[in-house]
Amino acid sequence: MPNILRFASIAVALFTFSATGFAQDYAPRGAQYNSQGSPQGIPATGAGQPGGALRSDRMAMVDPDKKLSAGDQVTVEIVEDQDGGLQRMVTATGELDVPPLGRVHVSGKSATEAAGQIKQLLERDYYYHSTVRVAIDRVSPVAVRAGVVFLSGEIQQGGTQEIISGEELTLTNAILKAGGPTSWARRSKVQLTRQKKNGGMETIISDYDKILKTGDVKLDPVLQDGDRIYIPRAGIRW
């Protein structure tokens, strides 16, 4: 009888041990923990926790050929300074604050082009040789207006158009965005009037059809804030 009780006690102990081991080996994934001490399947820094959104933004793929524009966040590193990267934001006027240069205009340039420009400026006044790296950390989610132009005369949709920072708006592009000239337009005498730096006014005459036909970008003026485009009326209808 004592032997039977002893074997029964051993059997119960073995069953209890096996059940406990089984539960540990097959615990739900949600109860296991990762190397950071957080349950698997739950990020260490979630979207609803401080820094979660920033981490997601920084991990997002950024086109390295993307042209810089206002609001973009970048890291500028001058290797010779040994200070590490400087985090900067492109200003509304398209500039980066880069010590010791001050503000450098980079809007409309890729990160590689901006780095090359900064390198040239540094080697002109401060270094015999410099190594500059510019990396885009975050792209501005909002387009920033850099100016306004006005269109009138024989054009389908006269009025104002915005110039977006980091993007070039040319005379022909502005006219095309406005629906193009009317059938009464004198297309060879499109007038672009703008204020000069000395305060005076100048008028540039452009041949709309010639620019479109040749594709010569030198004939297609890049618009500036405050420019006025006027398409006069022709004597005959096209």
Side-chain angles (χ1 to χ4, degrees):
M1 188 67 174
N3 290 334
I4 295 175
L5 292 175
R6 182 180 299 174
F7 286 127
S9 299
I10 293 173
V12 171
L14 289 174
F15 177 82
T16 303
F17 177 81
S18 299
T20 303
F22 181 88
Q24 290 177 347
D25 290 342
Y26 293 89
R29 289 181 58 86
Q32 297 178 7
Y33 288 79
N34 58 26
S35 60
Q36 295 176 326
S38 298
Q40 289 187 0
I42 302 177
T45 305
Q49 298 175 349
L54 179 60
R55 174 176 295 187
S56 299
D57 289 338
R58 290 179 66 86
M59 290 177 64
M61 294 297 293
V62 176
D63 181 4
D65 297 323
K66 187 261 183 193
K67 301 299 184 182
L68 295 172
S69 59
D72 289 348
Q73 296 179 9
V74 304
T75 296
V76 181
E77 181 183 7
I78 303 171
V79 176
E80 287 71 20
D81 283 350
Q82 299 181 350
D83 291 333
L86 302 173
Q87 293 186 337
R88 293 289 185 267
M89 179 182 290
V90 182
T91 67
T93 54
E95 298 169 316
L96 282 177
D97 184 15
V98 183
L101 297 173
R103 290 197 167 189
V104 179
H105 193 273
V106 297
S107 181
K109 296 180 174 63
S110 67
T112 301
E113 293 169 338
Q117 180 184 7
I118 294 170
K119 172 183 170 69
Q120 289 181 349
L121 294 173
L122 287 171
E123 292 179 350
R124 185 182 67 185
D125 297 322
Y126 297 96
Y127 294 87
Y128 290 111
H129 174 75
S130 66
T131 306
V132 181
R133 298 172 184 148
V134 176
I136 303 175
D137 295 330
R138 184 181 181 190
V139 174
S140 174
V142 180
V144 179
R145 189 177 76 174
V148 177
V149 298
F150 307 88
L151 299 94
S152 62
E154 294 300 324
I155 193 166
Q156 298 291 347
Q157 299 174 12
T160 61
Q161 279 189 28
E162 293 184 348
I163 302 175
I164 303 302
S165 179
E167 300 179 6
E168 285 190 347
L169 179 64
T170 65
L171 180 137
T172 56
N173 284 340
I175 294 174
L176 288 170
K177 287 174 66 175
T182 69
S183 58
W184 286 99
R186 192 175 183 183
R187 305 154 72 102
S188 62
K189 298 293 183 180
V190 178
Q191 301 174 16
L192 168 60
T193 304
R194 68 172 42 148
Q195 188 171 9
K196 297 192 294 185
K197 293 182 179 180
N198 61 8
M201 303 296 293
E202 67 173 337
T203 299
I204 302 169
I205 306 298
S206 298
D207 188 330
Y208 176 78
D209 285 339
K210 183 178 180 179
I211 296 172
L212 294 183
K213 182 178 180 179
T214 63
D216 190 346
V217 295
K218 295 180 181 179
L219 301 177
D220 197 5
V222 176
L223 301 182
Q224 303 173 6
D225 182 29
D227 282 355
R228 293 181 177 273
I229 299 170
Y230 174 74
I231 303 181
R233 188 180 180 89
I236 58 175
R237 187 173 184 177
W238 289 77

